[in-house]
C-alpha cells in the first residue's frame, strides 16, 4: 500500500530509504518497562526537538521508562513508516501526513490526538528594530531591501509549505519569490538569518524562541495558512507495551507545561 503524494511532498521523501537510528534519551534499561532495555521509539517533527527532549526526560524521571527520539521532516518520517520503520509513536507537524497514514491503516485506530499548535513568524537577527505588521499586500520584498528571505524548502518541509501558503494568501508570493533562499531545514534558516546572510526568515514561533541569535519581527495572520497543529498516534505495527503510556504522557500536566514553556499552544479543541 502506498501513500498519496502531491508534487510538493515528493521532495520530502528523498531520505525514505535511509535507515533511521534512534537517539536514546536516558536510554539505560528500565526495570519498570514491559520490555527492559527496549525504549519507546518516537518519530517526531524536527520543530519539536527542544520540547520533546525535555518531555522524554521528564517521562523517564516520572516512571523510569525510556524513549528514543528520531527527528526529521514529517514527510520523511511518514515514508519511513510506510517502508516498515521499526517505531512505536509518530508525531507530525502536518496533519495531511497523518491522514495518509491513517487511510493506509498504518496508525493504530483511535489513538490519534492533536497535541499542540504553533505560529508562523517572520524573524530577523537580534538587535534593535520595530515590530512589523504583516497583512494583505504587505511589501515584504521592499522591507528586505537588497537582502534575502530564508525559508525551509517551500515544496517539502511543513514550515516551508506553511510559508508559501501564507505568502500566497497575502498576495505577495510573486514579489517575494526572487529573494527567497530555500534552506534545507529550519536550523539552516535560523543560521542564515543570525549570520546576516538573509535579512528575514520564515519559521515557527518555537524555532525563533529557541535561538537567541534571532528575534520575531512579525507574526503571520492565522487565517493566511492552515493551522500548524501537531498530532501524535501509535504506529499500528508497534508491539512496545510502553508506547501508549508515552503517548498519553504527552497530554499530561507536566508535558503541557514543558510545551507551553517552549512557546507551543496547547490544543484544546
Amino acid at each position: 500500500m502506498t501513500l498519496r503524494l502531491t508534487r510538493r511532498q515528493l521532495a520530502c521523501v528523498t531520505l525514505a530509504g535511509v535507515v533511521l537510528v534512534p537517539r536514546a534519551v536516558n536510554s539505560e534499561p528500565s526495570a519498570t518497562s514491559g520490555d527492559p532495555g527496549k525504549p519507546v521509539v518516537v518519530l517526531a517533527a524536527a520543530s519539536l526537538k527542544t520540547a520533546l527532549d525535555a518531555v522524554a526526560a521528564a517521562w523517564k524521571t516520572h516512571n523510569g521508562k525510556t524513549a528514543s527520539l528520531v527527528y526529521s521532516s514529517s514527510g520523511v518520517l511518514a515514508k519511513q513508516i510506510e517502508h516498515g520503520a521499526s517505531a512505536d509513536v509518530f508525531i507530525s507537524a502536518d496533519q495531511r501526513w497523518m491522514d495518509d497514514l491513517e487511510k493506509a491503516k498504518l496508525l493504530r485506530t483511535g489513538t490519534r490526538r492533536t497535541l499542540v499548535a504553533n505560529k508562523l513568524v517572520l524573524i530577523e537577527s537580534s538587535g534593535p528594530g520595530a515590530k512589523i505588521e504583516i497583512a494583505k499586500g504587505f511589501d515584504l520584498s521592499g522591507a528586505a531591501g537588497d537582502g534575502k528571505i530564508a525559508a525551509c524548502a517551500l515544496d517539502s518541509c511543513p514550515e516551508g509549505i506553511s510559508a508559501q501558503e501564507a505568502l500566497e494568501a497575502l498576495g505577495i508570493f510573486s514579489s517575494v519569490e526572487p529573494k527567497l533562499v530555500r534552506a534545507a531545514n529550519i536550523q539552516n534558516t535560523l543560521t542564515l538569518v543570525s549570520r546576516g546572510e538573509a535579512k528575514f526568515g520564515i519559521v515557527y514561533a518555537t524555532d525563533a524562541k529557541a535561538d537567541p541569535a534571532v528575534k520575531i519581527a512579525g507574526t503571520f495572520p492565522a487565517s493566511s495558512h492552515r493551522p500548524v497543529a501537531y498530532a501524535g498516534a501509535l504506529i499500528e505495527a508497534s508491539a512496545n507495551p510502553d508506547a501508549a503510556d508515552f503517548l498519553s504522557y504527552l497530554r499530561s500536566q507536566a508535558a503541557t507545561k514543558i510545551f507551553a514553556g517552549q512557546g507551543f499552544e496547547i490544543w484544546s479543541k
Side-chain angles (χ1 to χ4, degrees):
M1 184 175 293
T2 58
L3 295 179
R4 172 175 51 81
L5 296 177
T6 66
R7 185 172 59 183
R8 277 182 176 179
Q9 294 167 328
L10 285 174
C12 208
V13 303
T14 56
L15 297 181
V18 178
V19 176
L20 295 173
V21 180
R23 179 180 57 77
V25 174
N26 295 325
S27 58
E28 64 271 15
S30 165
T32 61
S33 172
D35 185 359
K38 185 176 182 182
V40 175
V41 179
V42 182
L43 308 186
S47 51
L48 286 169
K49 185 182 185 308
T50 301
L52 200 57
D53 278 355
V55 170
W59 188 59
K60 167 69 176 178
T61 299
H62 173 67
N63 58 20
K65 299 176 182 179
T66 62
S68 290
L69 308 176
V70 177
Y71 297 108
S72 188
S73 165
S74 297
V76 169
L77 296 174
K79 290 301 293 181
Q80 290 285 350
I81 294 169
E82 186 197 20
H83 286 272
S86 179
D88 306 301
V89 176
F90 178 47
I91 309 174
S92 175
D94 191 328
Q95 298 278 359
R96 289 167 292 183
W97 286 111
M98 298 294 286
D99 292 342
D100 287 341
L101 290 174
E102 204 163 41
K103 289 175 183 176
K105 301 187 184 304
L106 294 173
L107 299 180
R108 188 79 49 82
T109 301
T111 64
R112 179 175 173 177
R113 298 288 185 275
T114 301
L115 304 168
V116 293
N118 218 329
K119 292 180 179 179
L120 190 69
V121 299
L122 185 72
I123 60 169
E124 59 183 342
S125 60
S126 294
K131 285 285 186 179
I132 296 173
E133 183 178 349
I134 302 175
K136 187 85 172 178
F138 163 63
D139 187 11
L140 178 56
S141 177
D146 295 330
K148 298 293 185 180
I149 302 167
C152 185
L154 302 186
D155 56 355
S156 58
C157 299
E159 296 93 331
I161 292 171
S162 294
Q164 181 161 346
E165 287 177 350
L167 294 173
E168 289 176 344
L170 296 173
I172 60 176
F173 181 72
S174 60
S175 64
V176 169
E177 187 175 20
K179 295 185 177 181
L180 283 173
V181 176
R182 291 163 171 78
N185 51 51
I186 285 297
Q187 187 55 55
N188 287 355
T189 303
L190 294 167
T191 299
L192 286 169
V193 175
S194 65
R195 291 180 177 175
E197 296 174 36
K199 169 64 176 175
F200 295 117
I202 303 175
V203 300
Y204 290 155
T206 53
D207 300 316
K209 182 179 177 64
D211 190 338
V214 304
K215 68 177 182 180
I216 295 176
T219 301
F220 287 87
S223 60
S224 68
H225 56 87
R226 274 172 281 201
V228 181
Y230 298 75
L234 296 182
I235 297 171
E236 177 60 37
S238 171
N240 192 314
D242 294 328
D245 184 70
F246 180 82
L247 185 62
S248 176
Y249 188 78
L250 296 177
R251 296 173 67 90
S252 69
Q253 184 176 2
T256 55
K257 183 177 180 180
I258 291 171
F259 283 124
Q262 293 295 328
F264 289 96
E265 299 177 348
I266 305 305
W267 193 264
S268 58
K269 297 179 182 180

